[in-house]
Amino acid sequence: MDPESAGPPPHRVSVVVPVYQGRSTLPALVAEIAPLTRVGTTPGGRRFVVEEVVLVDDCGPDGSDVVVRELAAAHDWVRPVWLSRNFGQHAATLAGISASGGEWVVTMDEDGQHDPAHIGVLVDTAMDEQADVVYARPSNEPPHGAARNLASRSAKWLVARLARGARASDFNSYRLVLGEVARSVAAYAGPGIYLDVAISWVARRVATVPLPMRAEGDRPSGYDVHRLVSHFWRLVLSSGTTPLRWVSFTGAASIVLAPLIGVVLVLGKAARWWEAPGWTSTMVLLMAATGAILFALGVIAEYVGMAVNMAMGKPLYLPVRDRRDGPLGRDDA
């Protein structure tokens, strides 16, 4: 009997990489994955193989599509997915997951900070802990700068308290997900949904494993301040209705406290404890109340906007064929 066919079949892994600015880093990443496309063993002795690498072109500004075509032509296990425009990292990741077919789906960044050699460790952790999802937990400080790392930890701490059942502190873009779970999430996740929150809704067990993160490639980050704030806000809105409950609690507290504050002011004025200028106190209370109302309306409006996008059928992403194969590429031909 062929020793390669002895024992249980290998774990079949699909690797999904959203591509936005990968012109300089993508070839090296694919070269690192290449040895894993032959059946090998994990550190725990389990057989596994990367049967496909799904590169999702998210219409970046640096001509990454050229590199994606070259890699797809050079390797039969590289599968390109073309999006009609830039939809963002999470939407591109979901598009790649939808196009995958492996028993496991590994998602990783294009910039080289995630080492493909650790895929076997992720598989071992999933099997040892019988987990549907395994996140890489950075064992070193992420290479993003002190301010961004602090902001990231603070945002995850807040969302962990907003989203019940979602351990936001574990979220990482280097993750291993059971294939059927990943593709189910990709099928129902709507616009504005944060991928990891959606996964937490259906995953039976989530595990983490400490892994070192490498430095990013020699290119600027695709996340500026505006994108980071938008990323955080989508994470908050995806966490559920807890912010709405906070708004309701704030309103109820105001109703209870307003008469008490009024009584204290009246008694203090009668006892001459202080001379309270009426206009100043009125304006301060008015501004505070107006600010709270406007903030509450803003939160509600965001939820209404998400509902409207879903009702209108706004797509989370739209796969298309390679522009080089369509009318737009006819001059090149």
Side-chain angles (χ1 to χ4, degrees):
M1 179 181 293
D2 183 0
E4 288 293 326
S5 61
H11 293 271
R12 297 182 295 106
V13 179
S14 296
V15 176
V16 173
V17 183
V19 180
Y20 181 69
Q21 292 185 136
R23 187 183 184 95
S24 61
T25 58
L26 204 55
L29 176 63
V30 171
E32 287 185 298
I33 297 176
L36 304 179
T37 59
R38 297 182 293 273
V39 177
T41 57
T42 68
R46 299 178 176 90
R47 300 168 71 220
F48 82 105
V49 61
V50 173
E51 63 177 10
E52 63 179 353
V53 176
V54 182
L55 302 179
V56 185
D57 179 59
D58 198 24
C59 300
D62 67 341
S64 297
D65 57 318
V66 176
V67 177
V68 171
R69 292 188 190 95
E70 292 173 350
L71 293 172
H75 307 287
D76 58 3
W77 39 267
V78 172
R79 295 181 52 202
V81 172
W82 309 97
L83 300 185
S84 62
R85 64 168 178 82
N86 173 245
F87 286 91
Q89 181 184 11
H90 280 224
T93 302
L94 287 168
I97 290 174
S98 295
S100 68
E103 296 173 323
W104 298 96
V105 176
V106 168
T107 66
M108 58 195 314
D109 292 347
E110 62 183 8
D111 56 16
Q113 66 171 315
H114 300 152
D115 190 346
H118 295 143
I119 290 177
V121 178
L122 296 174
V123 173
D124 278 340
T125 303
M127 296 300 295
D128 291 341
E129 302 195 25
Q130 290 295 288
D132 296 342
V133 184
V134 178
Y135 287 106
R137 186 176 70 251
S139 58
N140 56 329
E141 192 72 10
H144 296 311
R148 178 170 167 180
N149 289 335
L150 177 61
S152 177
R153 286 193 294 268
S154 301
K156 289 181 177 180
W157 178 88
L158 174 61
V159 173
R161 281 144 185 80
L162 292 177
R164 297 179 179 178
R167 297 187 301 181
S169 59
D170 295 339
F171 292 170
N172 194 287
S173 55
Y174 196 10
R175 57 176 86 81
L176 172 80
V177 187
L178 193 64
E180 56 189 1
V181 171
R183 285 183 286 273
S184 296
V185 170
Y188 73 70
I193 298 299
Y194 197 88
L195 172 57
D196 295 298
V197 173
I199 290 175
S200 72
W201 293 341
V202 296
R204 180 176 61 92
R205 181 172 297 173
V206 177
T208 63
V209 58
L211 293 176
M213 298 290 112
R214 304 185 296 191
E216 297 177 338
D218 55 348
R219 63 163 179 77
S221 173
Y223 283 98
D224 54 19
V225 175
H226 178 267
R227 287 177 180 269
L228 288 172
V229 172
S230 176
H231 199 60
F232 165 70
W233 193 236
R234 185 170 67 252
L235 178 56
V236 170
L237 293 180
S238 299
S239 64
T241 59
T242 302
L244 289 177
R245 293 173 182 170
W246 283 9
V247 171
S248 301
F249 175 79
T250 302
S254 299
I255 293 173
V256 172
L257 291 177
L260 296 178
I261 294 174
V263 170
V264 171
L265 290 175
V266 170
L267 293 177
K269 181 70 173 178
R272 298 183 180 275
W273 293 341
W274 57 72
E275 294 293 334
W279 184 86
T280 303
S281 59
T282 300
M283 292 303 297
V284 170
L285 292 174
L286 181 61
M287 286 188 293
T290 303
I293 292 172
L294 291 177
F295 177 77
L297 290 177
V299 173
I300 295 171
E302 291 286 352
Y303 281 101
V304 172
M306 291 177 62
V308 169
N309 285 336
M310 294 179 187
M312 293 176 64
K314 181 180 179 181
L316 178 62
Y317 57 84
L318 177 63
V320 296
R321 62 179 172 176
D322 185 356
R323 289 171 176 78
R324 187 73 59 86
D325 296 333
L328 293 173
R330 196 162 295 162
D331 288 347
D332 295 335

